[in-house]
Amino acid sequence: MQPSSPGAPRLLIAAHGTRSPAGSATSVDLAAAVAAARPGLRVDLCFLDVAAPTLVHALDTGPDPTVVVPALLSTGYHVQHDIPAAVSGRAGVRVARHLGPHPLLTDALLARLTEARGALEQASTLLVGAGSSRPEASAELDSAAELLAARLGQGVAVTTVDSDLTAALDGLSAPREVATYLLADGRFYELVKAAAAGRAVVAAPLGAHPAVVRLVLSRYDEALAGT
């Protein structure tokens, strides 16, 4: 564990938010793991949708300086509009880059696949991410699949939760596995599991995996360094 320097800016994790109690608990667990990995650093949690506290509330009621780390795997409306609007005019607030794509996320994806596989040695792999209308998000998901494919030593198919998951799975040779490119449980993960039932092994969301914790802190450090 690396201790934080005295007076270090607060790290404010901005998670997407979900109505799922399990998904919200995952975000709480991630924030706690980040705080445990950097003793002395204040780590707070807020949400960009559905759940509270909101980003604006967390900024209004918390200390400056603050570094907002979007706990989002891809760019999209929250990254491009909501977060910039919330921090506009706040001189003591910096915004870090969102999390993906990144080799540390690949580490977490591989670990979750290994947990889900059990005795299954090799399978056709489908990477499933949250959908977005923004081409940048699609390109980032493709990059994440390329990173995973390089580590697996085989091709990785790509799709999103809002697509025809059943058709995507049926297009792969058996046995099949799903790498879940989601941070937390919730409606999206339930849709993936339902579509894959009887067709594929489904890995858990990335959650508070140690590699995700390291990436959150790396984004924080990058923002402080201006890189």
Side-chain angles (χ1 to χ4, degrees):
M1 292 186 297
Q2 175 184 338
S4 182
S5 59
R10 170 179 65 149
L11 193 168
L12 178 59
I13 296 175
H16 185 280
T18 175
R19 291 185 176 86
S20 163
S24 295
T26 299
S27 297
V28 172
D29 289 345
L30 176 60
V34 170
R38 187 72 62 89
L41 176 64
R42 175 168 174 173
V43 178
D44 289 340
L45 174 67
C46 67
F47 299 95
L48 299 166
D49 196 10
V50 180
T54 66
L55 174 56
V56 170
H57 178 79
L59 292 173
D60 285 344
T61 58
D64 285 340
T66 288
V67 175
V68 177
V69 178
L72 303 170
L73 299 179
S74 302
T75 192
Y77 189 83
H78 290 310
V79 169
Q80 297 178 355
H81 296 279
D82 284 350
I83 296 175
V87 305
S88 178
R90 300 177 188 266
V93 179
R94 303 186 192 189
V95 179
R97 190 190 186 281
H98 60 280
L99 300 184
H102 195 280
L104 284 171
L105 293 179
T106 309
D107 291 347
L109 284 167
L110 285 170
R112 296 302 188 217
L113 282 172
T114 299
E115 293 167 0
R117 281 176 184 164
L120 187 65
E121 293 185 359
Q122 189 170 5
S124 300
T125 306
L126 177 68
L127 180 70
V128 180
S132 173
S133 60
R134 285 165 169 74
E136 304 97 320
S138 178
E140 289 177 355
L141 183 59
D142 288 341
S143 294
E146 291 169 3
L147 288 169
L148 181 59
R151 296 283 293 277
L152 289 172
Q154 65 180 40
V156 171
V158 185
T159 193
T160 57
V161 175
D162 57 358
S163 66
D164 189 340
L165 293 174
T166 300
L169 286 165
D170 288 346
L172 300 178
S173 58
R176 310 174 185 91
E177 62 183 7
V178 175
T180 307
Y181 199 59
L182 301 170
L183 274 176
D185 202 344
R187 184 175 66 87
F188 283 177
Y189 184 53
E190 295 305 314
L191 289 172
V192 173
K193 289 195 297 183
R199 292 183 173 87
V201 169
V202 180
L206 302 182
H209 187 276
V212 178
V213 173
R214 292 197 297 274
L215 182 53
V216 170
L217 288 168
S218 178
R219 294 303 194 210
Y220 170 84
D221 293 336
E222 290 166 1
L224 287 181
T227 59

